[in-house]
Amino acid sequence: MPIHNTDVNTDINTDMTTPSADYAPSEHPISPHPDPTRALPSPQRLPGGVLIALIVIALLLVAGIVYRFIGGAADERHLAKQTKLDAIPTVDVVSPVVSGATSEIALPGNTQAFDDTPIYARTSVYLKQWFVDIGQHVTKGELMATIETPELDEQLQVAQADLKSAQADLNLAKTTSDRYTNLLKLNSVSQQETDVAVSGAAAKRAAVEAAEANVRRLSQLQSFEKIYAPYSGIVTQRNTDIGDLINAGSATTTNTAKELFHIASVNQLRVFVAVPEVYAPDIHNGDTATLTLDEYPDQIFTGIVTRNSGSIDPSSRTLNVEVDVNNHDAKLLPGAYVFVHFKIPVQSRELSIPSDALIFRAQGLQVGVVRNGHVHLQSITIGKDNGKTVEVATGLSVNDKVILSPSDSLAEGQPVNIASQPAVMQ
């Protein structure tokens, strides 16, 4: 038979869910311990002000931690931003300057004497005496030196004797020819004998002419015993002395020839200038040019373009131009280094920039231009090169900001900062 536990379950639930009257705290309070020294201490409560202070301190600590965390992140972002800003280079820029109506180019040149002549001996002899030295002015035809030619003198005497002998033979042959010619009219001699006599006279006449030419040649050589100045000028070199053995000829004909004197005409000087091809069309004969020298910083010398080569030298791409300068006061010396200034007319107003702004790369001639805070590499063409500055024919406008002294690493689109004080072209 099934067993019914209804009474048991009811009693258990009642005891567990309903508290017993014996354990009601309100009805049975705990009595104090009979020994006060052994009694448990009563719980102490914190004062209200202290508790509030602790709460405030805790909140401040939490707020400090949060602020430190947020501030550290902000500092990191600011540092990263500042690092990027510092990485952007600062550049100096300059604006192109519009060139004037005319411009001037200064090109180096060397002064040369208008006439510059080395003097050699025409015969191999000894120097007997010299009368002029370096730095001395001479006039045309002035005696400069004498030389001794004993062998030449003997040769001349022999030639004169040969001439006399030839003249005597000619007189005899002429007499014979005339006699045979007269006898032929009387049929006393044959035509053959007459022709032989006439031909002999002609041969003797030719021998006399040859002897006379030899005498003239030797006489001319003997006249070179006296050396005269070919023109008025100044002696720039003397390379001989009394008793020196002199070999005939010149340095171009023999290596043993020795230059006796060197004379130069300095009343007028020539200056040869290599003009770049780009300026060649602007140089004309008759134009005025000015010369400046370091030894005369406050003085300007005037010259005239007298001639030019009329062709461009393919090795240097220059036009050889001669400028003649009046030098009656002898201030300018041959061989001096000068700057020749030419006035070059400008057909169009071009922009001028410093030469150190140019960039030479495989893409051609370029300059760095700052636009909207970034670099733009602009290709240009040069009209004229003035040394420190160049005139740009195409590629720039007057409002462009051109970077001065660009670095080799300058790249297209690179961000840059412009210096607060833009550079000014001198």
Side-chain angles (χ1 to χ4, degrees):
M1 291 179 67
I3 301 174
H4 298 283
N5 296 327
T6 303
D7 298 336
V8 175
N9 291 339
T10 302
D11 294 338
I12 294 175
N13 288 339
T14 301
D15 294 338
M16 295 179 65
T17 56
T18 302
S20 173
D22 297 336
Y23 295 97
S26 57
E27 296 180 358
H28 304 278
I30 300 176
S31 59
H33 198 282
D35 186 359
T37 60
R38 300 180 60 185
L40 294 174
S42 302
Q44 299 291 328
R45 293 183 178 270
L46 294 175
V50 176
L51 181 60
I52 294 174
L54 292 176
I55 295 174
V56 171
I57 291 173
L59 291 176
L60 290 176
L61 291 175
V62 172
I65 295 173
V66 172
Y67 176 79
R68 182 63 180 273
F69 178 78
I70 297 175
D75 290 341
E76 291 181 0
R77 290 193 299 270
H78 177 73
L79 179 60
K81 183 179 179 180
Q82 189 63 36
T83 302
K84 291 181 180 180
L85 291 176
D86 293 340
I88 299 176
T90 300
V91 296
D92 294 322
V93 298
V94 66
S95 296
V97 176
V98 179
S99 59
T102 60
S103 63
E104 181 182 275
I105 59 171
L107 300 172
N110 293 316
T111 58
Q112 297 183 17
F114 198 84
D115 294 306
D116 191 32
T117 307
I119 298 177
Y120 294 88
R122 292 290 294 126
T123 56
S124 298
V125 290
Y126 291 95
L127 183 70
K128 182 179 181 180
Q129 192 174 5
W130 54 266
F131 303 101
V132 295
D133 209 342
I134 60 172
Q136 183 173 339
H137 289 268
V138 295
T139 57
K140 182 178 181 180
E142 182 177 344
L143 182 63
M144 301 178 66
T146 58
I147 56 179
E148 293 179 328
T149 59
E151 294 180 357
L152 180 61
D153 295 341
E154 293 296 329
Q155 291 176 7
L156 178 59
Q157 292 178 6
V158 171
Q160 291 173 342
D162 291 340
L163 175 60
K164 292 179 180 179
S165 176
Q167 289 175 339
D169 292 340
L170 175 60
N171 291 334
L172 177 60
K174 185 178 180 181
T175 301
T176 302
S177 174
D178 293 341
R179 184 180 294 117
Y180 269 82
T181 300
N182 293 330
L183 291 175
L184 180 62
K185 295 178 182 178
L186 300 174
N187 293 322
S188 298
V189 292
S190 65
Q191 181 67 43
Q192 178 65 29
E193 291 174 331
T194 303
D195 292 342
V196 171
V198 171
S199 298
K204 297 300 182 180
R205 185 176 298 107
V208 169
E209 293 176 352
E212 290 176 344
N214 189 36
V215 171
R216 290 195 299 270
R217 180 182 67 83
L218 294 174
S219 298
Q220 187 70 22
L221 289 176
Q222 191 182 46
S223 68
F224 291 127
E225 290 181 349
K226 299 182 182 297
I227 300 174
Y228 300 95
Y231 50 80
S232 298
I234 185 172
V235 178
T236 59
Q237 293 184 37
R238 179 181 64 82
N239 300 314
T240 187
D241 211 339
I242 296 175
D244 278 355
L245 176 62
I246 302 170
N247 294 312
S250 64
T252 58
T253 59
T254 173
N255 292 330
T256 60
K258 186 176 182 180
E259 180 182 336
L260 303 181
F261 298 96
H262 205 104
I263 185 172
S265 176
V266 296
N267 288 335
Q268 190 174 15
L269 298 181
R270 308 174 191 258
V271 181
F272 291 96
V273 185
V275 178
E277 182 179 359
V278 66
Y279 303 114
D282 299 321
I283 305 298
H284 306 92
N285 293 342
D287 289 349
T288 300
T290 57
L291 281 70
T292 57
L293 293 82
D294 292 339
E295 53 265 40
Y296 300 110
D298 299 327
Q299 189 169 356
I300 296 177
F301 301 86
T302 303
I304 302 296
V305 178
T306 55
R307 60 188 60 86
N308 63 79
S309 61
S311 63
I312 301 297
D313 185 355
S315 61
S316 62
R317 296 300 176 187
T318 57
L319 176 72
N320 190 24
V321 176
E322 178 185 338
V323 178
D324 291 349
V325 184
N326 193 337
N327 190 40
H328 286 301
D329 55 1
K331 276 192 172 183
L332 298 177
L333 301 178
Y337 183 79
V338 300
F339 281 98
V340 183
H341 302 261
F342 297 96
K343 293 292 184 181
I344 304 298
V346 178
Q347 302 298 331
S348 60
R349 296 173 65 85
E350 296 182 344
L351 300 179
S352 180
I353 62 174
S355 300
D356 58 1
L358 300 178
I359 301 174
F360 300 91
R361 293 183 180 176
Q363 294 79 8
L365 192 60
Q366 295 178 320
V367 295
V369 179
V370 179
R371 294 177 181 172
N372 299 324
H374 292 78
V375 174
H376 172 63
L377 298 181
Q378 178 67 41
S379 298
I380 62 171
T381 56
I382 296 300
K384 290 180 175 61
D385 188 347
N386 300 322
K388 291 184 178 180
T389 62
V390 293
E391 295 181 5
V392 180
T394 60
L396 289 180
S397 67
V398 70
N399 296 322
D400 284 331
K401 302 297 183 184
V402 181
I403 299 175
L404 290 175
S405 303
S407 64
D408 295 337
S409 60
L410 195 68
E412 176 71 26
Q414 177 183 351
V416 292
N417 294 323
I418 297 177
S420 58
Q421 294 295 332
V424 179
M425 285 190 58
Q426 300 295 328

